[in-house]
Amino acid sequence: QSALTQPASVSGSPGQSITISCTGTSSDVGGYNYVSWYQQHPGKAPKLMIYAVSDRPSGVSNRFSGSKSGNTASLTISGLQAEDEADYYCSSYSNTNTRVFGGGTKVTVL
Amino acid sequence: EVQLVESGGGLVQPGGSLRLSCAVSGFTFSRYSMTWVRQAPGKGLEWVSYISGSSSTIYYADSVKGRFIISRDNAKNSLYLQMNSLRDDDTAVYYCARDSGIGGSDDFWGQGTLVTVSS
């Protein structure tokens, strides 16, 4: 149950696009199309932004998109806005019937 | 409106026990699997445990296996986490979350309850 690997921080200017990577193994990210992404603002509960690699829950802006290639999943935020500044976590189903999270990425809007 | 409200957190000594509860409303509780996720102060999210709607399927993270017990009471719309043999590294905010049913994603979360293990 090793954590997925995410960059500690990513930054961008308003209006730009940024991408957060999430690297696992063939036992989790690479083995299933079950990667989720969560947004967490300070002191708040996580919010589901992407599920099943690239699907968005109702109400989530289409500026958020997800993809996967091999053992690496990615979250792209386009048209970056001040309200997007938060921590982002990826999560994947694992072959041990458990889930594993990434270490989290702090997104800063410059 | 879907709501999940955790309770039962607090300060406990190492080796002690604590029982967390999660009261839910706004959806048919028995139709959904539920999970517990924790977050140590200043750290990332850690998946803890999963229980199916009928309680027939249960999974635990290796870090809590043998010490924590997840359960639910569908008649009371409540989820529980019995935590035994608590250690310093169990200190965290504990969140209950509703499993969306699609690939291990959790679509609704409670506000969390803080558990502090310290002497």
Side-chain angles (χ1 to χ4, degrees):
Chain A
Q1 298 175 352
S2 299
L4 306 177
T5 300
Q6 298 181 234
S9 62
V10 172
S11 62
S13 299
Q16 285 187 331
S17 292
I18 62 170
T19 297
I20 303 169
S21 62
C22 171
T23 301
T25 68
S26 58
S27 296
D28 38 63
V29 174
Y32 307 92
N33 287 324
Y34 292 150
V35 176
S36 307
W37 289 90
Y38 299 88
Q39 176 192 65
Q40 186 180 35
H41 287 107
K44 301 296 186 181
K47 175 186 177 182
L48 180 64
M49 305 301 284
I50 296 287
Y51 66 94
V53 176
S54 59
D55 290 338
R56 275 188 311 275
S58 174
V60 172
S61 171
N62 59 9
R63 298 186 298 103
F64 292 84
S65 61
S67 63
K68 191 187 85 167
S69 177
N71 295 337
T72 299
S74 299
L75 173 71
T76 297
I77 309 174
S78 58
L80 198 62
Q81 299 179 0
E83 66 204 50
D84 300 332
E85 187 162 293
D87 293 326
Y88 291 83
Y89 294 90
C90 62
S91 175
S92 175
Y93 179 79
S94 167
N95 65 351
T96 55
N97 290 315
T98 60
R99 298 184 203 166
V100 60
F101 280 97
T105 297
K106 181 177 180 59
V107 168
T108 300
V109 181
L110 302 172
Chain B
E1 179 189 8
V2 172
Q3 287 193 324
L4 297 86
V5 180
E6 301 94 337
S7 61
L11 176 63
V12 61
Q13 292 188 336
S17 298
L18 210 56
R19 189 195 197 203
L20 305 183
S21 299
C22 174
V24 313
S25 60
F27 64 98
T28 304
F29 182 56
S30 61
R31 294 183 180 176
Y32 288 87
S33 300
M34 300 292 293
T35 67
W36 286 99
V37 175
R38 68 184 181 183
Q39 186 171 33
K43 302 297 184 181
L45 301 174
E46 180 187 13
W47 177 83
V48 172
S49 185
Y50 163 98
I51 186 168
S52 63
S54 65
S55 302
S56 60
T57 301
I58 287 174
Y59 301 118
Y60 297 100
D62 287 346
S63 58
V64 306
K65 197 175 296 182
R67 300 187 299 122
F68 290 11
I69 300 171
I70 190 172
S71 64
R72 63 191 295 160
D73 186 333
N74 288 341
K76 295 183 177 179
N77 286 346
S78 293
L79 174 72
Y80 306 103
L81 187 68
Q82 177 67 43
M83 304 186 296
N84 302 320
S85 303
L86 283 162
R87 311 185 303 220
D88 291 351
D89 61 359
D90 292 319
T91 294
V93 173
Y94 285 74
Y95 296 100
C96 65
R98 188 182 84 167
D99 187 309
S100 70
I102 304 176
S105 61
D106 296 312
D107 55 0
F108 287 94
W109 295 62
Q111 84 289 348
T113 187
L114 176 62
V115 173
T116 303
V117 184
S118 175
S119 54

